[in-house]
Amino acid sequence: MVVFTVMIVNKAGSLLFDKDYADIPKLPANEKIMLASTFHGLSAIAGQLSPGMDNSGIQILEADTFKLNSFMPATGMNFIVVSDPGQTGLDQLLRKTYSLYADYVLKNPFYSLDMPIRCELFETNLKELVESVDRGHWRGSSS
């Protein structure tokens, strides 16, 4: 099981962070930006069409070759993971990614909101988290 990519999209649909963690064909930056903003728009429409109380939009998109999981906290940010279709524990991975974002990005005095995320501590901790998921050592604990 493999996590392919982690992306963070702001509430306006701009791609703030993306990192590939597997040996997959690389998309040009403009295509990644276009894909992230398109997903954001489709997710927003799905959230408005949803008859239930949960209007967080698309949460899981499954295909033959990949699975996309999305987590949208109350802040409107969208945390997205693209993985192998058999990968499990992605909801916990997304919530832990949000926690890392809050701890290392938002508390960084040099970071400006809605700007691309360039924070070494965040990237290092996220890489360790993704590697633990890939190795199967992930238990979803909130430590």
Side-chain angles (χ1 to χ4, degrees), residues 52-105:
M53 295 296 291
D54 182 17
N55 62 354
S56 60
I58 299 171
Q59 296 175 355
I60 300 174
L61 178 69
E62 294 186 45
D64 292 339
T65 56
F66 71 92
K67 180 165 61 171
L68 184 147
N69 283 60
S70 172
F71 170 62
M72 186 185 306
T75 60
M77 301 288 288
N78 205 338
F79 293 80
I80 301 167
V81 171
V82 181
S83 70
D84 186 75
Q87 186 70 49
T88 59
L90 295 174
D91 284 339
Q92 294 88 359
L93 172 66
L94 286 166
R95 292 177 191 282
K96 185 66 177 173
T97 301
Y98 177 61
S99 177
L100 292 174
Y101 169 77
D103 287 343
Y104 295 109
V105 178

Side-chain angles (χ1 to χ4, degrees), residues 8-143:
I8 300 175
V9 180
N10 71 3
K11 59 186 169 191
S14 298
L15 182 64
L16 301 183
F17 177 83
D18 82 283
K19 187 75 171 177
D20 295 329
Y21 293 99
D23 189 23
I24 57 174
K26 306 295 183 218
L27 289 175
N30 286 340
E31 287 186 26
K32 286 184 178 184
I33 292 168
M34 186 176 66
L35 286 172
S37 63
T38 301
F39 177 78
H40 174 77
L42 290 173
S43 184
I45 291 169
Q48 291 178 355
L49 294 175
S50 175
M53 295 296 291
D54 182 17
N55 62 354
S56 60
I58 299 171
Q59 296 175 355
I60 300 174
L61 178 69
E62 294 186 45
D64 292 339
T65 56
F66 71 92
K67 180 165 61 171
L68 184 147
N69 283 60
S70 172
F71 170 62
M72 186 185 306
T75 60
M77 301 288 288
N78 205 338
F79 293 80
I80 301 167
V81 171
V82 181
S83 70
D84 186 75
Q87 186 70 49
T88 59
L90 295 174
D91 284 339
Q92 294 88 359
L93 172 66
L94 286 166
R95 292 177 191 282
K96 185 66 177 173
T97 301
Y98 177 61
S99 177
L100 292 174
Y101 169 77
D103 287 343
Y104 295 109
V105 178
L106 293 180
K107 294 177 184 176
N108 181 348
F110 301 107
Y111 176 71
S112 298
L113 285 177
D114 293 333
M115 295 301 292
I117 298 170
R118 303 284 181 254
C119 180
E120 188 175 331
L121 281 174
F122 172 72
E123 290 187 32
T124 301
N125 283 283
L126 183 58
K127 182 179 179 185
E128 290 174 6
L129 178 64
V130 169
E131 287 174 352
S132 71
V133 170
D134 285 346
R135 286 191 309 266
H137 296 241
W138 175 252
R139 291 191 246 315
S141 64
S142 59
S143 60

